[in-house]
Amino acid sequence: MEFSIKSGSPEKQRSACVVVGVFEPRRLSPIAEQLDKISDGYISALLRRGDLEGKIGQALLLHHVPNVLSERILLVGCGKERDLDERQYKQVIQKAISTLNETGSMEAVCFLTELHVRGCNTYWKVRYAVETAEESLYSFDQLKSNRVELRRPLRKIVLNVPSRRDLNRSERAIKHGLAIAAGIKVAKDLGNMPPNICNPAYLASQARQLADNFSGYITTRVIGEQEMRDLGMNAYLAVGSGSQNESLMSVIDYRGTAKPSVKPIVLLGKGVTFDSGGISLKPAESMDEMKFDMCGAAAVYGVMRVIAELKLPLKVIGVLAGCENMPAGAAYRPGDVLTTLSGQTVEVLNTDAEGRLVLCDALTYVERFEPELVIDVATLTGASVIALGHHLTALMSNHNPLAHELMTASEQTGDRAWRLPLQDEYNEQLDSNVADMANVGGRPGGAITAACFLSRFVRRYHWAHLDIAGTAWRSGKAKGATGRPVALLAQFLFNRAGFRDDE
Ligand code: BES
Ligand code: MN
Ligand code: ZN
């Protein structure tokens, strides 16, 4: 979709459609008011007749409104004026976009960006509009033999801003919004791709492609099983040992600055392309959803795209820890003791707690980059879904300032997270009487004990852990990857790069 910015009055737009807001109950927004005056009260008369209450989720399309140059006016319900916050604003945009798409306007001038949205300046309203529009147009239909093409799809949106002073920052907001939307889209595509296609080799090929597309900024190195054996990454290897697909860890190295004083930020994504549970086999119901167990890696991949596209002046290393967890004669078993890359030993009590085994070796591996900080992203525990549901990502960290930075980014983007504690008391649950630790800590506090397990492999850097088991995909009829937490992580890096929203 094409976006542009303009500052001008609504009645003068020669467009297929002008989009304006109506508040509840039947109250015109300032722009709608202008159109109403010009048209001698045409719109307010409709509202008085009760055609549109102004609730969120409502929309009304008008044709040939007197004295208005554009062919159509789309009135969109915005709810109660003083309740309009970032979340509702996104719903309003979504309704506008879906209606425009259904009704055959191929271009539109949108005045919703002029609404007063609590806590949002023009930059954010424009950026959210772009991200939301792109997101609501997403569908995963690559594998359908009959793709439904819209007859007259929406192609072009002009976002109107109040004053010419806003033009520059709005152009930036479009650029940022489009980059983030593209990152979310590739993360969704990777997540949605079925596990017979999206296997560790597929992840690696995507990682290599990124280096081809952004040569000069990105180099990719793929570490296979032989190299893992030479290094001693036995926990990672154990997880993939039952699979016909080779375990492959892709290391995507982005350099947006040559300054030697800048240390890299490492983003590490769990890339289990299918998690059957292994010998501790999962029940059949919803097992298909375990194709999403690589959504951490998909998010890291998406973020790498965003920052390469915008040429952030940072060093960032994205690691996609790819492998497949299958039951087989060669599979690892409950009872096995593994010697990790760190030298610590782990007793496997459940082969379905595989994510932490993959990640623990990767966490040790990335020490070699002397990172400024490491953030891992993983669909790690069902327990995090029990704790926070499907709305918030669980955040755990050994460093308060880093946790605060991530919380700030999560609030800025609406890609929300909530911190869970990481305290020593929980560590006892991981005690084993044959090895240094067990790979599971029982049901109580399962998201926290998983993070505690990881924390034992964190040395020499600040670290945060995002458990996205509840937020990375939706189940049921709308089954599909969400692309979270690409927006959160991209914003975290924007903030680190000194991007500002008010200049
Ligand atoms: N990938 C799963 C976590 C998961 C489960 C995410 C369900 C979303 C929905 C992970 O590998 C796993 O199986 N975790 C186990 C750990 C347990 C055996 C300690 C879990 O959460 O049940
Ligand atoms: Mn598992
Ligand atoms: Zn898993």
PDB file of all heavy atoms in Angstrom, residues 63-79:
ATOM      1  N   HIS A  63     -22.460   8.719  -0.414  1.00  0.00           N
ATOM      2  CA  HIS A  63     -22.095   9.039  -1.802  1.00  0.00           C
ATOM      3  C   HIS A  63     -22.617  10.423  -2.170  1.00  0.00           C
ATOM      4  O   HIS A  63     -23.672  10.827  -1.705  1.00  0.00           O
ATOM      5  CB  HIS A  63     -22.714   8.009  -2.752  1.00  0.00           C
ATOM      6  CG  HIS A  63     -22.116   6.652  -2.609  1.00  0.00           C
ATOM      7  ND1 HIS A  63     -21.066   6.215  -3.373  1.00  0.00           N
ATOM      8  CD2 HIS A  63     -22.402   5.641  -1.761  1.00  0.00           C
ATOM      9  CE1 HIS A  63     -20.747   4.992  -3.018  1.00  0.00           C
ATOM     10  NE2 HIS A  63     -21.539   4.616  -2.038  1.00  0.00           N
ATOM     11  N   HIS A  64     -21.877  11.106  -2.994  1.00  0.00           N
ATOM     12  CA  HIS A  64     -22.326  12.386  -3.561  1.00  0.00           C
ATOM     13  C   HIS A  64     -22.908  13.322  -2.512  1.00  0.00           C
ATOM     14  O   HIS A  64     -24.053  13.748  -2.597  1.00  0.00           O
ATOM     15  CB  HIS A  64     -23.365  12.153  -4.665  1.00  0.00           C
ATOM     16  CG  HIS A  64     -22.849  11.242  -5.732  1.00  0.00           C
ATOM     17  ND1 HIS A  64     -21.744  11.563  -6.496  1.00  0.00           N
ATOM     18  CD2 HIS A  64     -23.259  10.021  -6.149  1.00  0.00           C
ATOM     19  CE1 HIS A  64     -21.506  10.580  -7.335  1.00  0.00           C
ATOM     20  NE2 HIS A  64     -22.398   9.621  -7.148  1.00  0.00           N
ATOM     21  N   VAL A  65     -22.139  13.636  -1.528  1.00  0.00           N
ATOM     22  CA  VAL A  65     -22.577  14.595  -0.515  1.00  0.00           C
ATOM     23  C   VAL A  65     -22.514  15.995  -1.144  1.00  0.00           C
ATOM     24  O   VAL A  65     -21.513  16.346  -1.780  1.00  0.00           O
ATOM     25  CB  VAL A  65     -21.683  14.498   0.739  1.00  0.00           C
ATOM     26  CG1 VAL A  65     -22.063  15.570   1.756  1.00  0.00           C
ATOM     27  CG2 VAL A  65     -21.802  13.103   1.349  1.00  0.00           C
ATOM     28  N   PRO A  66     -23.573  16.773  -0.981  1.00  0.00           N
ATOM     29  CA  PRO A  66     -23.634  18.074  -1.649  1.00  0.00           C
ATOM     30  C   PRO A  66     -22.406  18.953  -1.359  1.00  0.00           C
ATOM     31  O   PRO A  66     -21.955  19.017  -0.206  1.00  0.00           O
ATOM     32  CB  PRO A  66     -24.898  18.719  -1.056  1.00  0.00           C
ATOM     33  CG  PRO A  66     -25.700  17.595  -0.507  1.00  0.00           C
ATOM     34  CD  PRO A  66     -24.784  16.468  -0.212  1.00  0.00           C
ATOM     35  N   ASN A  67     -21.907  19.609  -2.376  1.00  0.00           N
ATOM     36  CA  ASN A  67     -20.799  20.576  -2.300  1.00  0.00           C
ATOM     37  C   ASN A  67     -19.447  19.977  -1.926  1.00  0.00           C
ATOM     38  O   ASN A  67     -18.495  20.709  -1.673  1.00  0.00           O
ATOM     39  CB  ASN A  67     -21.100  21.701  -1.298  1.00  0.00           C
ATOM     40  CG  ASN A  67     -22.431  22.354  -1.581  1.00  0.00           C
ATOM     41  OD1 ASN A  67     -22.850  22.436  -2.746  1.00  0.00           O
ATOM     42  ND2 ASN A  67     -23.110  22.772  -0.534  1.00  0.00           N
ATOM     43  N   VAL A  68     -19.365  18.674  -1.842  1.00  0.00           N
ATOM     44  CA  VAL A  68     -18.086  18.035  -1.502  1.00  0.00           C
ATOM     45  C   VAL A  68     -17.502  17.426  -2.775  1.00  0.00           C
ATOM     46  O   VAL A  68     -18.210  16.759  -3.527  1.00  0.00           O
ATOM     47  CB  VAL A  68     -18.276  16.945  -0.430  1.00  0.00           C
ATOM     48  CG1 VAL A  68     -16.989  16.171  -0.197  1.00  0.00           C
ATOM     49  CG2 VAL A  68     -18.745  17.578   0.872  1.00  0.00           C
ATOM     50  N   LEU A  69     -16.215  17.694  -3.010  1.00  0.00           N
ATOM     51  CA  LEU A  69     -15.616  17.275  -4.281  1.00  0.00           C
ATOM     52  C   LEU A  69     -15.377  15.776  -4.379  1.00  0.00           C
ATOM     53  O   LEU A  69     -15.432  15.199  -5.444  1.00  0.00           O
ATOM     54  CB  LEU A  69     -14.281  18.004  -4.487  1.00  0.00           C
ATOM     55  CG  LEU A  69     -14.401  19.492  -4.829  1.00  0.00           C
ATOM     56  CD1 LEU A  69     -13.025  20.096  -5.041  1.00  0.00           C
ATOM     57  CD2 LEU A  69     -15.267  19.695  -6.071  1.00  0.00           C
ATOM     58  N   SER A  70     -15.077  15.150  -3.249  1.00  0.00           N
ATOM     59  CA  SER A  70     -14.751  13.725  -3.347  1.00  0.00           C
ATOM     60  C   SER A  70     -16.020  12.896  -3.556  1.00  0.00           C
ATOM     61  O   SER A  70     -17.115  13.297  -3.173  1.00  0.00           O
ATOM     62  CB  SER A  70     -13.983  13.274  -2.113  1.00  0.00           C
ATOM     63  OG  SER A  70     -14.866  12.760  -1.187  1.00  0.00           O
ATOM     64  N   GLU A  71     -15.838  11.740  -4.183  1.00  0.00           N
ATOM     65  CA  GLU A  71     -16.989  10.915  -4.551  1.00  0.00           C
ATOM     66  C   GLU A  71     -17.738  10.374  -3.331  1.00  0.00           C
ATOM     67  O   GLU A  71     -18.940  10.189  -3.350  1.00  0.00           O
ATOM     68  CB  GLU A  71     -16.530   9.712  -5.391  1.00  0.00           C
ATOM     69  CG  GLU A  71     -16.030  10.066  -6.770  1.00  0.00           C
ATOM     70  CD  GLU A  71     -15.251   8.906  -7.383  1.00  0.00           C
ATOM     71  OE1 GLU A  71     -15.615   7.738  -7.137  1.00  0.00           O
ATOM     72  OE2 GLU A  71     -14.262   9.179  -8.084  1.00  0.00           O
ATOM     73  N   ARG A  72     -16.964  10.059  -2.295  1.00  0.00           N
ATOM     74  CA  ARG A  72     -17.576   9.440  -1.124  1.00  0.00           C
ATOM     75  C   ARG A  72     -17.056  10.068   0.166  1.00  0.00           C
ATOM     76  O   ARG A  72     -15.942  10.603   0.198  1.00  0.00           O
ATOM     77  CB  ARG A  72     -17.242   7.942  -1.047  1.00  0.00           C
ATOM     78  CG  ARG A  72     -17.529   7.133  -2.289  1.00  0.00           C
ATOM     79  CD  ARG A  72     -16.997   5.727  -2.057  1.00  0.00           C
ATOM     80  NE  ARG A  72     -17.161   4.843  -3.202  1.00  0.00           N
ATOM     81  CZ  ARG A  72     -16.352   4.818  -4.254  1.00  0.00           C
ATOM     82  NH1 ARG A  72     -15.324   5.650  -4.334  1.00  0.00           N
ATOM     83  NH2 ARG A  72     -16.554   3.958  -5.243  1.00  0.00           N
ATOM     84  N   ILE A  73     -17.848   9.927   1.208  1.00  0.00           N
ATOM     85  CA  ILE A  73     -17.353  10.240   2.554  1.00  0.00           C
ATOM     86  C   ILE A  73     -17.583   8.997   3.403  1.00  0.00           C
ATOM     87  O   ILE A  73     -18.677   8.433   3.408  1.00  0.00           O
ATOM     88  CB  ILE A  73     -18.116  11.426   3.185  1.00  0.00           C
ATOM     89  CG1 ILE A  73     -17.798  12.715   2.411  1.00  0.00           C
ATOM     90  CG2 ILE A  73     -17.722  11.587   4.655  1.00  0.00           C
ATOM     91  CD1 ILE A  73     -18.513  13.941   2.973  1.00  0.00           C
ATOM     92  N   LEU A  74     -16.531   8.567   4.081  1.00  0.00           N
ATOM     93  CA  LEU A  74     -16.690   7.440   4.999  1.00  0.00           C
ATOM     94  C   LEU A  74     -16.673   7.983   6.423  1.00  0.00           C
ATOM     95  O   LEU A  74     -15.679   8.579   6.855  1.00  0.00           O
ATOM     96  CB  LEU A  74     -15.565   6.419   4.811  1.00  0.00           C
ATOM     97  CG  LEU A  74     -15.615   5.212   5.755  1.00  0.00           C
ATOM     98  CD1 LEU A  74     -16.880   4.386   5.542  1.00  0.00           C
ATOM     99  CD2 LEU A  74     -14.381   4.327   5.570  1.00  0.00           C
ATOM    100  N   LEU A  75     -17.793   7.779   7.117  1.00  0.00           N
ATOM    101  CA  LEU A  75     -17.859   8.161   8.525  1.00  0.00           C
ATOM    102  C   LEU A  75     -17.485   6.932   9.352  1.00  0.00           C
ATOM    103  O   LEU A  75     -18.046   5.854   9.141  1.00  0.00           O
ATOM    104  CB  LEU A  75     -19.279   8.604   8.901  1.00  0.00           C
ATOM    105  CG  LEU A  75     -19.891   9.750   8.088  1.00  0.00           C
ATOM    106  CD1 LEU A  75     -21.333  10.006   8.549  1.00  0.00           C
ATOM    107  CD2 LEU A  75     -19.067  11.022   8.243  1.00  0.00           C
ATOM    108  N   VAL A  76     -16.560   7.100  10.270  1.00  0.00           N
ATOM    109  CA  VAL A  76     -16.128   5.965  11.083  1.00  0.00           C
ATOM    110  C   VAL A  76     -16.382   6.270  12.548  1.00  0.00           C
ATOM    111  O   VAL A  76     -16.006   7.338  13.045  1.00  0.00           O
ATOM    112  CB  VAL A  76     -14.618   5.678  10.882  1.00  0.00           C
ATOM    113  CG1 VAL A  76     -14.235   4.376  11.560  1.00  0.00           C
ATOM    114  CG2 VAL A  76     -14.274   5.626   9.412  1.00  0.00           C
ATOM    115  N   GLY A  77     -17.029   5.324  13.238  1.00  0.00           N
ATOM    116  CA  GLY A  77     -17.297   5.485  14.659  1.00  0.00           C
ATOM    117  C   GLY A  77     -16.000   5.466  15.450  1.00  0.00           C
ATOM    118  O   GLY A  77     -15.136   4.617  15.228  1.00  0.00           O
ATOM    119  N   CYS A  78     -15.866   6.419  16.387  1.00  0.00           N
ATOM    120  CA  CYS A  78     -14.626   6.540  17.172  1.00  0.00           C
ATOM    121  C   CYS A  78     -14.866   6.368  18.666  1.00  0.00           C
ATOM    122  O   CYS A  78     -13.979   6.618  19.470  1.00  0.00           O
ATOM    123  CB  CYS A  78     -13.988   7.901  16.926  1.00  0.00           C
ATOM    124  SG  CYS A  78     -13.464   8.133  15.222  1.00  0.00           S
ATOM    125  N   GLY A  79     -16.084   5.976  19.059  1.00  0.00           N
ATOM    126  CA  GLY A  79     -16.371   5.811  20.475  1.00  0.00           C
ATOM    127  C   GLY A  79     -16.476   7.151  21.181  1.00  0.00           C
ATOM    128  O   GLY A  79     -16.640   8.192  20.549  1.00  0.00           O
TER     129      GLY A  79
END
